[in-house]
Amino acid sequence: MNLRAWAELLRLPALFTVPGDALAGAAATGLRPGRGTFLAIGSSLCLYEAGMALNDWADRAEDAVDRPHRPLPSGRVTPAAALTAAAALTAGGLALAARAGRPALATATALAGTVWAYDLGLKRTPAGPAAMAAARGLDLLLGAAATATTTRAATTTATTTPATTTMATTTPATTSAAAVTGVAKGHHRPGRSAAARAALPAAATLAAHTLAVTAVSRHETQGGSTATPLGALAATLALGHAVAYAPRPPAGRRTAATAALPGITVALTAAYATTAARPYLHAALNPSPPLTQRAVGGGIRALIPLQAALAARSGALGSALFTAALAPAARRFARKVSVT
């Protein structure tokens, strides 16, 4: 097996942009990352890689003309192997999501369907950018659903004692209420539907950014578009302002450790805007294929500081710092593996 060819096919450096989706989703729920969050990350990684393999399988004829060096047209990976990998990775992603509960599986199924629909048909239609944006938003919601479901299950288990103990210490009504509301030791745990609603603004933010990047990517082989990178630039500045100056997290999330979160959020948002805006501007001034491709790359890299800023805005300092640390790791890894 040609490992380097598979690394190129799967675009391994881009994997660093995936964990931040689930972490931002978990942060938006107000819950700490847990077992469900890590299952969601594993599911997202599998589904993302499935999309990469399926993308090259669907584009193999076009790549033979525009990118003959890619693994499939160059013969280093066979089309059958790429399609098999896409199917296997999709199955793996759904299996991991299933372990995080039915809401996570439902979200992952919608995500997988969107990925396959995009690669096999929607990509070349006007609905392509919207489909890609929906996929990124669903990925964040997957993290929120998995975190809320597994945390709720753990809380319910903790508040339910054996029957003999329960009869002596509580009434059935109080036990039932605790299980339904998720209250344990005075800490409220949001329900699954409430957690999903709380994550919608963050999902919409990531979706809007992805919509802009995907719109620019439609011109990366031919170039020639000035309006599209200008629109992406405007979207980046608007999203950055919205994230940086959003309301602070609820009082329950404010602690001494997170007192600096507003400043950290602004700094991460500035990193996001700088990473994406500069290449967009260059592509608008000179819409050549090389500069357009750089603009797409900048937009993809900007996902990491945007995810970190969303986590910081929600009060999750640890998740924000961990996500931000993925950016330099991605740059170092990208130097070793070509993804063009």
Side-chain angles (χ1 to χ4, degrees):
M1 177 183 293
N2 189 331
L3 294 180
R4 186 172 188 85
W6 278 97
E8 293 177 21
L9 175 73
L10 298 175
R11 293 157 176 87
L12 292 186
L15 280 180
F16 290 90
T17 70
V18 176
D21 288 347
L23 291 172
T29 68
L31 300 171
R32 294 182 181 276
R35 172 177 171 272
T37 313
F38 298 114
L39 287 171
I41 291 174
S43 176
S44 297
L45 291 171
C46 288
L47 295 176
Y48 188 89
E49 291 292 46
M52 293 296 102
L54 186 64
N55 176 78
D56 277 24
W57 180 85
D59 288 353
R60 59 194 185 280
E62 178 183 332
D63 286 346
V65 177
D66 295 330
R67 299 182 179 91
H69 60 281
R70 295 288 298 144
L72 265 64
S74 67
R76 291 177 292 151
V77 177
T78 66
L83 184 59
T84 300
L89 286 164
T90 299
L94 294 177
L96 287 170
R99 297 189 62 187
R102 290 182 180 178
L105 176 59
T107 307
T109 300
L111 173 56
T114 303
V115 169
W116 279 73
Y118 174 83
D119 284 336
L120 296 181
L122 294 179
K123 178 166 52 178
R124 294 176 177 81
T125 72
M132 184 61 76
R136 184 62 73 164
L138 284 168
D139 201 32
L140 186 145
L141 293 177
L142 173 58
T147 302
T149 301
T150 54
T151 301
R152 181 184 173 92
T155 302
T156 301
T157 300
T159 57
T160 304
T161 58
T164 54
T165 304
T166 300
M167 292 176 62
T169 59
T170 65
T171 66
T174 56
T175 302
S176 177
V180 171
T181 60
V183 176
K185 299 181 181 179
H187 296 287
H188 176 67
R189 302 294 187 184
R192 290 177 296 225
S193 60
R197 289 194 298 272
L200 284 176
T205 299
L206 278 187
H209 171 78
T210 305
L211 180 68
V213 177
T214 308
V216 175
S217 72
R218 293 165 79 90
H219 302 278
E220 63 181 340
T221 58
Q222 303 298 326
S225 174
T226 296
T228 304
L230 277 178
L233 174 60
T236 297
L237 297 178
L239 290 172
H241 183 273
V243 173
Y245 298 103
R248 294 185 65 185
R253 295 296 300 272
R254 296 177 194 165
T255 65
T258 60
L261 275 173
I264 294 173
T265 302
V266 171
L268 289 170
T269 304
Y272 158 67
T274 301
T275 303
R278 185 178 299 175
Y280 284 155
L281 179 60
H282 291 168
L285 295 174
N286 178 12
S288 63
L291 289 182
T292 303
Q293 291 167 13
R294 290 182 186 177
V296 174
I300 294 172
R301 290 192 299 274
L303 275 167
I304 295 177
L306 177 57
Q307 294 160 340
L310 289 171
R313 185 186 70 177
S314 297
L317 178 60
S319 293
L321 295 179
F322 175 81
T323 302
L326 294 174
R331 286 195 297 270
R332 288 193 296 270
F333 194 72
R335 297 190 188 104
K336 301 178 181 180
V337 180
S338 171
V339 296
T340 57

